Structures are given as structure tokens and as C-alpha cells.
């Protein structure tokens, strides 16, 4: 029997982009325009010329500011890629205008901002998602499977790192007023990976942050977590190291390492290494576009609406992640560097 589908369910989700950012230009909007479930309707930034440049490249309208974008009745959802310190303000405006929201990671600068936005989205029945792409890559389900089928034995340790070399001096990540700092920018990835693999209820047992002497902005850090079952997690992150983007889950039978955990390019075939006492297996997994998978999931959720257990689970995860960030800040011993 054929099921009748209404036009609204079939129609692509109409998206407005707020912020003419580097990540929108390089990665997100090129993927949006080749995702059939979404249609980019308009883009808005502070500069008319930049908004027009985006509009020409991506085939959409240009608006001069957030208010004009949010006023458009032909937009169902807004993608926000402003600096992290402005996520809360713009996400709140978008939700109050009745738009679903895909906001760049992290959702805000602390747990209070995350809670406020999640409560507003729940109250309005709207979808609020962070653009955390990596959990959508199937390579992590593969690791989960190795854990669940006992290949690793009993996990005792987890290690994860997301580090990049120093950025250009004028990067938003070096501006504390815009929500800069390594913990909010890169530290949130290993924290999320620990939650993904070890489950909820992680506690911060210790943390150190290397902070800029002049203003205390965190440049890199290390965190020790403990899971409810006693797994110890060691996390490293920062803007002060050669590139690293990996994690290892280590049990009493084997350990597994994901070598390109957080930002595998769409065509990259991920290498997962399983090490046992006498043998090593190198598993080359199929390539996947983790952003496109996220965008498809976002579009499905917008069509289904913001209510339901899945949505409240996603919101609870976002809040829990920011509570861990707050706990790292509260626990950290800071070391000033010149
Ligand atoms: N999911 C990921 O993999 C990923 C990767 C990279 C970055 N990000 C996140 O995306 C966000 C943007 O990062 P980015 O590297 O793309 O930054 P960026 O190129 O500096 O872009 C930030 C944009 O925010 C807008 N903006 C509004 N008010 C601003 C202000 N006072 N100062 C500076 N910019 C302002 C600007 O666009 P207008 O001039 O149009 O307003 C600017 O282009 C951050 O939250 C970051 O954490 C996520």
C-alpha cells in the first residue's frame, strides 16, 4: 500500500546560513548544496560584499543581517557559524523566531548557556543540534562493536588527542571575548569521544592547562577522567602541537586505535589498528562523509520536529558535555606560558 506523503514532508529543509565563516565556506555550505534533503535559501553576515560572495558561490539570496535572515518565511532552519562566544545569542534569536538550529560546536561557552538554549528549544518544540561531525562517522560504531563483542577484553584505559599547530595571530580562537581558547575549540573533541566510547557519568579527576601569561587564555591542556566503571581516560588538546587526531581504547586483550578520529576528509579511508599481544590487524574502513551524514540526520529530525526522546537525548548530551568543560575549568591547574 502506498502511503501519502504531504508536500512539507517531501520538501527539502530550507536553510539560512548566519555568519560568512571559513568553516561555512570551506566545508559546510559546499556539503549543504549537494545534500538533497536541504536547500540553502539565504546567507547573512556583517559585510554585504562577503554575503554576496557567498550567495553567488552557493546560489542563494544574500541578507545584510541576522534579523533580516530570521524574518524570512522561506527558511525553516538556521546554520550558525559565528565565533563560539556568539552562538548563544544567535541561536536564541533563531529559536525565538521559530527556526530550527544547527549551531557550530560547541553550543555555547559553558553549561549554563547549553542548558538555556536546550530548554528554549524543548519549550518551542524545535530542533537544536551542534555541528559535531565526528560521531556520525561509522568508524566509531566499528570500535564500539569491537568493544561490545569482547575483542578488547575489559577496557581499562582510553587516550585521545586533538591538537593543531599554532594558528594565525588574528584567529578568533585567540580572543577570549569571542569564546576562544583550546578547551572550547579542540578540547571538546576528546571529551566528546570519551563520552561516546565510555558512556555517561564521566568525572574529571584532574586537569592542567597551559595558559597565555598576558590574559589567561588556554592554549593547550590535558585532562584525566574516570568512568563509572573505572576506566581512566587521558585527553590532550591544544594549539601548540603538531597535528594529532586519534584515540585508543585499551583493554586486557587488545587495544584499538582510530588514527584519524575527528576530521577525516570525506574521501579518506579510515585506518583502525587492532593490537593484540602477538598480532596486529590494520583495518581499512570505507570512506564516509561525516558532515553529510550529520546534515541528513539534521534534516530528518527537522522534518520529524523537535519533540521526542531522541531529541531530549541529544540535548542532554550537549549539556553533559558542557558540564565536563566547566568541571575541567574548575579543576585545572593553570601554568602560565609567555
Ligand atoms: N564543526 C567543525 O568541524 C568546525 C570546524 C571549524 C570551526 N568550527 C566552529 O565554527 C565557528 C567559526 O569558526 P571559523 O574558523 O569558521 O571562524 P571564522 O572564519 O573566523 O568565522 C567566524 C564568522 O563569525 C562571524 N562573526 C560575527 N561576529 C563576529 C565577531 N565579532 N568577530 C569575528 N567574527 C564574527 C563572521 O562572519 P560575518 O562577518 O559574516 O558576521 C566570521 O566570518 C566556531 O564556533 C568554531 O568552533 C567548527
Amino acid at each position: 500500500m502506498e502511503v501519502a506523503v504531504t508536500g512539507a514532508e517531501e520538501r527539502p529543509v530550507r536553510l539560512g546560513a548566519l555568519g560568512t565563516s571559513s568553516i561555512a565556506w570551506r566545508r559546510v555550505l559546499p556539503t549543504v548544496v549537494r545534500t538533497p534533503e536541504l536547500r540553502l535559501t539565504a546567507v547573512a553576515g556583517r559585510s554585504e560584499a562577503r554575503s554576496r560572495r557567498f550567495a553567488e558561490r552557493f546560489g542563494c539570496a544574500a541578507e545584510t543581517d541576522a534579523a533580516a535572515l530570521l524574518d524570512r518565511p522561506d527558511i525553516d532552519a538556521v546554520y550558525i557559524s559565528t565565533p563560539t562566544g556568539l552562538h548563544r545569542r544567535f541561536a536564541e534569536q533563531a529559536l525565538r523566531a521559530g527556526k530550527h538550529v544547527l549551531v557550530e560546536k560547541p553550543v555555547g561557552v559553558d553549561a549554563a548557556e547549553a542548558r538555556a538554549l536546550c530548554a528554549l528549544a524543548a519549550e518551542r518544540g524545535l530542533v537544536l543540534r551542534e555541528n559535531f561531525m565526528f560521531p556520525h562517522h561509522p568508524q566509531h560504531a566499528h570500535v564500539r562493536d569491537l568493544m561490545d563483542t569482547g575483542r578488547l577484553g575489559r577496557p581499562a584505559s582510553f587516550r585521545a588527542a586533538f591538537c593543531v599547530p599554532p594558528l594565525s595571530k588574528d584567529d578568533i580562537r585567540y580572543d577570549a571575548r569571542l569564546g576562544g581558547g583550546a578547551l572550547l575549540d579542540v578540547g571538546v573533541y576528546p571529551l566528546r569521544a570519551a563520552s561516546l566510547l565510555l558512556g555517561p557519568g564521566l568525572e574529571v579527576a584532574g586537569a592542567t592547562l597551559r595558559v597565555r601569561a598576558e590574559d589567561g587564555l588556554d592554549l593547550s591542556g590535558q585532562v584525566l577522567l574516570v568512568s563509572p566503571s573505572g576506566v581512566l581516560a587521558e585527553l590532550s588538546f591544544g594549539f601548540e602541537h603538531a597535528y594529532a587526531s586519534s584515540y585508543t581504547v585499551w583493554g586486557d586483550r587488545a587495544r584499538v586505535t582510530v588514527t584519524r578520529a575527528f576530521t577525516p576528509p570525506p574521501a579518506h579511508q579510515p585506518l583502525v589498528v587492532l593490537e593484540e599481544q602477538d598480532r596486529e590487524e590494520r583495518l581499512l574502513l570505507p570512506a564516509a562523509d561525516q558532515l553529510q551524514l550529520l546534515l541528513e540526520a539534521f534534516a530528518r529530525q527537522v522534518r520529524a520536529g523537535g519533540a521526542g526522546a531522541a531529541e531530549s537525548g541529544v540535548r542532554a548530551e550537549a549539556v553533559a558535555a558542557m558540564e565536563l568543560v566547566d568541571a575541567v575549568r574548575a579543576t585545572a591547574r593553570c601554568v602560565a606560558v609567555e
Side-chain angles (χ1 to χ4, degrees), residues 19 56 134 144 174 196 277 281 283 299 326 333:
E56 272 159 31
F134 86 89
R144 187 75 260 165
Y174 290 130
L196 184 71
Q277 185 157 343
E281 236 178 81
L283 310 156
D326 284 358
R333 153 109 203 270

Side-chain angles (χ1 to χ4, degrees), residues 20-23 45-46 82-84 87 104-105 131 172-173:
T20 55
S21 64
S22 158
I23 185 68
R46 293 167 304 168
T82 59
T84 301
H87 288 177
E104 265 309 338
K105 46 57 53 179
N131 193 32
I172 54 168
R173 290 157 185 78

Side-chain angles (χ1 to χ4, degrees), residues 27 137 243 260 262-270 287-290:
R27 182 77 170 101
H137 200 294
Y243 188 74
R260 192 82 190 256
F262 302 117
T263 53
H268 173 81
Q269 275 195 273
D289 186 341
Q290 57 186 18

